[in-house]
Amino acid sequence: MTMQRHQYDVVIVGAGGAGLMAALYATKKGAKTAVLSKLYPTRSHTGAAQGGIGAALGNLEEDHPEWHTFDTVKGSDYLGDQDAIEFMCYQAPAIVYELEHMGLPFSRTPDGRIAQRPFGGHTNNRTGKPVRRACYAADRTGHMILQTLYQQSIKHNVTFFNEFQVLDLILVNGKVAGVVAIDIATGTIHVFHTKAVVFATGGWGRLWEITSNAYTLTGDGAAILFRRGLPLEDMEFYQFHPTGIYKLGILITEGVRGEGGVLINDKGERFMERYAPTVKDLASRDVVSRAIYIEIKEGRGINGQRYVYLDVRPETVNKYAAIDGRTRPDGSPYVVTAEELLQKLPDIIDFSRTYLGIDPMAEPIPVQPTAHYAMGGIPTNIKAEVLADEKGTVVPGLYAAGETACVSVHGANRLGTNSLLDIVVFGKQAGIHAAEYALGTDFEPLPKDAADFAISQLETLRNSKGSERIADIANEMKRVMMDHVGVFRTEEGLTEALNTIRELKERYKHIHLDDRGKIFNTELLSAWELGNLLDLAEVTTVSALARTESRGAHWREDYPKRDDKNWLKHTLAWKRENGEIELRYKPVVITKYPPKERVY
Amino acid sequence: MQVTLKIFRYNPEKDSAPHYETYTLEAEPTDRVLDLLEKVKSYHDGTLAFRRSCAHGVCGSDAMRINGVNRLACKVLVKDLGTTNITIEPLLGLKVVKDLIVDMEPFFENYRKVLPYFINDEPPPPDGRERLQTPEERERFDDTTKCILCGVCTTSCPTFWADGQYFGPAAIVNAHRFIFDSRDRGAQQRLEILAQDSGVFRCRTAFSCTEACPREIQITKAIAEVKRAILTGRLD
């Protein structure tokens, strides 16, 4: 097999917000840096984020990083590490200004400042009412972050290897030595000899049937490290966003509710009043998703079906704004027009028209919870260094940032707008620290057989003699994850899921691929990605089965209470040589906010 | 319902020339064309190659020709086509690498030529906060910030097909996004680049780009505004 070699100080895997931010900083620090992405950078899923990036700028009303910190701790159901959360929330205003200085076209307030809107779980800590903290560019904030960072990468001559799928990480004496990748266009294997690697490969929403995530979100980075003997943290905590388009899962931003949209059941009730009397439709995502599931289960889904309505018609918005006593920053009553909503939420309106054939200004949008975001992932510290164990031992040269990492700033449930914040704050940290590390150390010798494992993985798949279609295995996995490892979980369901996943892993050994070629063999890569998903499905389910409490997004019907005495701790899961998964735990960092009951 | 897909196929490892293959499958009227391609790949022929990622029209991966018109496969529903015979081909004007996948590098090369990034070397406000911009100033270039670089416009432009030297509409859209941003200071540099032979004056206002844009950007209008800025030296 033809092979090419390269040498870089720093290799960044993934070109979404975290990867590009890391690339900019590593390049600026003077490290010879390469970005490897399985997509063209602008195709990354950061571009699908809509509603905003959280930062206590206080442009429209009083706000403080301290409030943002507390809201995030509370949102995490006290599982987030408070030192990391404080770091992120205090970095937030400066990093949002930094994005603005890079040219990011935020929407503006009448006095020319960055516009901000309310979002779930973000509150004025004195009154408990929603606060305008989400800095936004219409309803395409992620798109503008991705475009801006890519533009800056061009300006600063960042080196890209586009459509390169990273397959493996090479560790020598416990230190980073390189990565192995395939050039998708030619099928050629490339070995990158490097001193530091940043994994910024995003999430794994494709584990579930209904998801807001792109086809390409298959948890590659997390799965590669897991196979290499490194642990994954808090994998049982996976967020279902309350408002995905019915059946399709396409995200409808929480910003719709920030602008005054409300959730309505079949009886025409604004049911969130019953679940979160103070902030109602702007409660945390875990709370809202559970409420929707309960409404559906109790027969109040629309026409008895598995969805509810998200109603953002101006008359509905104005009716409930009046009931809530909602006001504009100048104290006048909050009254919106269709024109204003169109300007603030153009993409949402476009999605509704394209995929549902409805105009949300005239009709409510059918929605259901959609698999959206991994709170867990590769354990890291606030320098984005990857941790090898529960004692915090750092893997020299290895970094991770963004959704694939678990710092942990989101704990058991992430607040909306905090993922865009996470990717820029910790992407920056990863770039800085990876470059500093790389510039102060020598290359580890790269073993001759560095690419062997990756090549054997691909060749095994390519030449597999079975008859199983990968789509059948993937569909079965997605179904069982949706049914049993979703919003509500039980021991019985999780056990069934685990058995099914293990059967599917057996069936996966007997697949058949039609494409045996080299050039753009996307079937081969889909098969490889499915292997990653199956590994992550297993570790997610094992972690969820062990945690006999309900916290944040992990809700056990058979253990419906949070149990701080036994479970105020992070899960770490390892894949051992014999294929077994071993679980260990580490304490949560608590600095200022002792755990309290969580009500919205 | 039953649909018939006629798909352009070309595998350089096997085929001396491109050909079409036909697949008949069951579909829902609300299926996206991308869903049909996934179905073909999953159950009929795993060798079919196409790009896709977000599947809802924001990443720009799956631009292709559907019944002769450049579209994103994830933004076209079967019922919107008005026929059950669906012909799917790669974008025109770029080299086909395999099946529906074209080499996008020339497209991105044109994009990079227009300095598609924020230029302003003046120090930001001393308080470290944002540069101010009124909602009206922000609105001035709002439309062109929507571009997702899918290539649909550039590859539906007859001038681009005829002449590989033309930057194409997408590059001009991205130049427009900065030229009319009140905070940016690189307008003159970009206008000089766009005044060259390969620049805006090659546009023959065929409107093909505007009609094709999946983000509904008023591309021809943006190009006209850039032309006017070059001719008048003014950015109003």
Side-chain angles (χ1 to χ4, degrees):
Chain A
M1 179 171 280
T2 48
M3 201 184 306
Q4 289 187 31
R5 288 175 188 277
H6 311 262
Q7 198 176 59
Y8 285 90
D9 295 326
V10 177
V11 166
I12 289 158
V13 187
L20 292 177
M21 198 73 180
L24 280 172
Y25 270 89
T27 302
K28 281 187 205 170
K29 283 256 162 201
K32 189 183 170 200
T33 303
V35 182
L36 278 55
S37 169
K38 68 175 172 179
L39 304 167
Y40 271 94
T42 56
R43 314 299 184 216
S44 306
H45 209 56
T46 295
Q50 298 167 3
I53 173 168
L57 306 184
N59 280 352
L60 288 159
E61 59 186 309
E62 182 185 357
D63 198 9
H64 306 281
E66 194 185 345
W67 291 359
H68 189 181
T69 305
F70 173 72
D71 289 339
T72 304
V73 170
K74 180 181 170 186
S76 82
D77 218 347
Y78 294 89
L79 192 74
D81 288 323
Q82 296 182 11
D83 54 344
I85 292 173
E86 187 168 344
F87 177 79
M88 180 178 79
C89 296
Y90 278 76
Q91 291 273 319
I95 210 144
V96 167
Y97 293 136
E98 185 178 347
L99 292 172
E100 198 280 335
H101 297 160
M102 290 177 182
L104 197 144
F106 283 106
S107 296
R108 297 287 165 157
T109 65
D111 58 352
R113 299 208 171 270
I114 294 169
Q116 298 186 274
R117 60 163 58 114
F119 237 79
H122 293 278
T123 65
N124 175 315
N125 282 190
R126 220 175 295 117
T127 63
K129 297 277 185 189
V131 71
R132 297 173 186 86
R133 186 179 290 146
C135 310
Y136 65 90
D139 55 357
R140 54 177 186 280
T141 314
H143 165 77
M144 293 318 337
I145 290 178
L146 184 66
Q147 293 289 327
T148 300
L149 293 176
Y150 184 59
Q151 292 155 2
Q152 290 293 308
S153 304
I154 293 171
K155 188 175 183 177
H156 294 282
N157 289 314
V158 171
T159 304
F160 286 98
F161 290 83
N162 296 328
E163 299 188 316
F164 270 58
Q165 170 74 58
V166 169
L167 300 166
D168 198 11
L169 167 71
I170 306 304
L171 296 168
V172 173
N173 305 320
K175 290 178 168 180
V176 163
V179 294
V180 182
I182 181 169
D183 176 359
I184 301 172
T186 62
T188 310
I189 296 290
H190 292 243
V191 178
F192 289 79
H193 190 196
T194 182
K195 295 188 270 193
V197 175
V198 178
F199 276 89
T201 47
W204 41 91
R206 286 280 153 180
L207 280 181
W208 287 271
E209 194 173 354
I210 304 292
T211 179
S212 64
N213 282 200
Y215 274 108
T216 41
L217 288 172
T218 50
D220 305 343
I224 288 170
L225 267 58
F226 191 58
R227 276 196 292 270
R228 282 289 168 194
L230 291 165
L232 295 177
E233 182 174 348
D234 291 344
M235 291 296 284
E236 63 272 43
F237 296 101
Y238 195 90
Q239 178 167 83
F240 280 69
H241 191 292
T243 56
I245 290 180
Y246 179 49
K247 286 185 179 169
L248 291 171
I250 296 169
L251 179 67
I252 298 290
T253 174
E254 205 165 300
V256 170
R257 283 170 286 139
E259 300 298 342
V262 293
L263 292 162
I264 302 286
N265 66 16
D266 194 46
K267 296 171 87 178
E269 295 167 327
R270 182 200 195 182
F271 56 86
M272 280 314 298
E273 276 172 345
R274 282 187 270 117
Y275 299 90
T278 310
V279 295
K280 299 169 188 162
D281 297 88
L282 286 175
S284 268
R285 289 177 178 172
D286 58 332
V287 175
V288 182
S289 285
R290 273 194 295 279
I292 294 173
Y293 261 73
I294 292 169
E295 291 299 305
I296 290 168
K297 201 162 143 188
E298 294 181 354
R300 295 187 294 276
I302 305 300
N303 300 323
Q305 302 288 304
R306 301 186 59 79
Y307 65 94
V308 296
Y309 280 140
L310 175 58
D311 194 340
V312 68
R313 290 176 293 184
E315 61 270 28
T316 309
V317 169
N318 294 335
K319 174 181 153 192
Y320 288 103
I323 292 170
D324 294 348
R326 183 171 173 179
T327 54
R328 300 250 179 212
D330 64 6
S332 63
Y334 184 81
V335 180
V336 293
T337 60
E339 194 189 7
E340 187 181 345
L341 290 171
L342 267 167
Q343 196 182 23
K344 286 184 168 171
L345 304 165
D347 281 1
I348 294 311
I349 287 156
D350 178 32
F351 297 154
S352 303
R353 285 182 181 150
T354 303
Y355 299 109
L356 297 165
I358 66 164
D359 173 4
M361 294 299 104
E363 283 176 87
I365 310 167
V367 294
Q368 73 180 127
T370 181
H372 185 57
Y373 186 87
M375 273 75 72
I378 302 165
T380 58
N381 59 24
I382 59 173
K383 291 158 91 177
E385 295 168 324
V386 172
L387 307 176
D389 56 34
E390 67 275 30
K391 297 182 207 80
T393 308
V394 166
V395 184
L398 190 56
Y399 300 80
E403 188 174 342
T404 197
C406 177
V407 189
S408 152
V409 285
H410 309 302
N413 171 66
R414 175 173 72 73
L415 294 189
T417 77
N418 274 352
S419 64
L420 289 178
L421 181 59
D422 175 358
I423 60 175
V424 287
V425 167
F426 293 106
K428 177 174 171 177
Q429 292 303 311
I432 291 171
H433 294 294
E436 282 176 356
Y437 171 83
L439 294 172
T441 194
D442 290 326
F443 284 96
E444 287 294 317
L446 197 62
K448 278 204 168 53
D449 63 355
D452 285 11
F453 176 71
I455 292 170
S456 76
Q457 252 190 329
L458 291 188
E459 292 313 307
T460 304
L461 294 170
R462 201 195 308 262
N463 301 313
S464 177
K465 299 271 187 284
S467 58
E468 295 275 1
R469 302 288 306 185
I470 54 174
D472 288 330
I473 296 174
N475 290 341
E476 181 66 10
M477 173 192 72
K478 290 170 190 180
R479 185 195 61 76
V480 77
M481 291 298 286
M482 199 73 198
D483 286 351
H484 299 303
V485 199
V487 173
F488 284 104
R489 301 159 175 192
T490 62
E491 180 173 336
E492 199 190 350
L494 290 167
T495 307
E496 191 189 322
L498 188 57
N499 291 335
T500 305
I501 292 158
R502 287 178 172 158
E503 282 165 29
L504 292 173
K505 290 182 84 158
E506 280 305 307
R507 285 172 58 188
Y508 178 71
K509 293 174 183 162
H510 307 285
I511 57 167
H512 167 84
L513 299 185
D514 297 336
D515 197 341
R516 307 286 168 105
K518 299 271 185 211
I519 295 175
F520 271 101
N521 189 337
T522 53
E523 189 187 27
L524 175 65
L525 291 174
S526 293
W528 182 81
E529 290 170 335
L530 177 59
N532 297 339
L533 288 171
L534 287 167
D535 280 351
L536 297 182
E538 185 181 19
V539 67
T540 299
T541 308
V542 167
S543 302
L545 197 50
R547 187 175 284 269
T548 50
E549 66 155 353
S550 289
R551 182 186 299 272
H554 173 68
W555 197 271
R556 289 282 301 258
E557 286 182 284
D558 41 358
Y559 298 92
K561 288 263 189 306
R562 195 175 83 194
D563 177 2
D564 288 336
K565 192 163 149 271
N566 295 302
W567 288 106
L568 187 58
K569 57 188 180 185
H570 297 289
T571 306
L572 287 175
W574 281 264
K575 188 184 182 78
R576 295 306 183 194
E577 300 266 319
N578 59 6
E580 295 282 309
I581 291 175
E582 182 190 349
L583 299 180
R584 285 195 240 160
Y585 296 89
K586 68 173 182 181
V588 174
V589 178
I590 293 169
T591 55
K592 292 182 181 159
Y593 308 101
K596 285 197 292 194
E597 203 196 340
R598 188 162 157 260
V599 267
Y600 282 101
Chain B
M1 65 194 288
Q2 237 184 22
V3 294
T4 305
L5 298 188
K6 188 177 151 199
I7 304 179
F8 176 101
R9 300 299 308 268
Y10 173 63
N11 180 351
E13 291 176 90
K14 284 190 180 150
D15 305 331
S16 53
H19 62 281
Y20 287 84
E21 269 177 45
T22 302
Y23 308 86
T24 304
L25 50 155
E26 277 301 313
E28 298 290 328
T30 51
D31 277 345
R32 295 164 277 201
V33 171
L34 179 62
D35 297 325
L36 305 182
L37 289 173
E38 283 290 332
K39 215 175 267 184
V40 170
K41 187 170 179 71
S42 296
Y43 294 108
H44 297 261
D45 185 353
T47 67
L48 177 66
F50 51 93
R51 293 188 177 101
R52 87 284 188 262
S53 188
C54 80
H56 65 285
V58 297
C59 82
S61 297
D62 60 350
M64 53 189 75
R65 229 158 7 121
I66 299 169
N67 285 349
V69 182
N70 282 3
R71 314 283 294 263
L72 298 179
C74 63
K75 263 200 115 171
V76 186
L77 307 189
V78 171
K79 67 182 168 68
D80 299 336
L81 288 169
T83 168
T84 53
N85 293 312
I86 307 171
T87 303
I88 307 176
E89 300 161 294
L91 296 174
L92 288 175
L94 294 168
K95 187 175 156 262
V96 176
V97 183
K98 182 180 176 183
D99 297 338
L100 302 172
I101 294 177
V102 295
D103 178 11
M104 292 294 286
E105 202 36 53
F107 171 82
F108 280 103
E109 205 178 301
N110 283 328
Y111 163 75
R112 288 192 293 266
K113 281 180 189 158
V114 302
L115 316 180
Y117 42 77
F118 189 66
I119 297 174
N120 184 337
D121 295 332
E122 299 158 16
D127 61 5
R129 296 177 67 185
E130 66 270 57
R131 291 188 165 97
L132 298 178
Q133 182 169 54
T134 66
E136 294 71 34
E137 287 169 334
R138 169 64 181 75
E139 185 59 27
R140 182 69 190 81
F141 65 102
D142 185 66
D143 202 33
T144 46
T145 67
K146 293 174 188 163
C147 176
I148 55 173
L149 298 168
C150 63
V152 156
C153 60
T154 295
T155 57
S156 56
C157 170
T159 311
F160 180 79
W161 297 336
D163 178 356
Q165 298 305 305
Y166 178 43
F167 291 146
I172 302 171
V173 160
N174 281 280
H176 179 282
R177 175 254 170 273
F178 290 102
I179 290 168
F180 292 93
D181 183 337
S182 59
R183 303 166 301 165
D184 186 89
R185 298 290 175 264
Q188 277 318 315
Q189 280 170 271
R190 292 192 197 92
L191 291 174
E192 279 165 30
I193 293 167
L194 290 168
Q196 294 168 6
D197 279 354
S198 45
V200 282
F201 295 106
R202 295 227 166 176
C203 166
R204 294 283 171 264
T205 51
F207 280 93
S208 313
C209 53
T210 306
E211 281 162 21
C213 177
R215 302 286 292 159
E216 295 174 17
I217 299 169
Q218 299 300 308
I219 303 175
T220 311
K221 181 167 169 256
I223 296 174
E225 288 173 357
V226 172
K227 284 181 182 170
R228 197 168 62 223
I230 292 170
L231 294 173
T232 64
R234 294 203 327 267
L235 293 177
D236 50 358

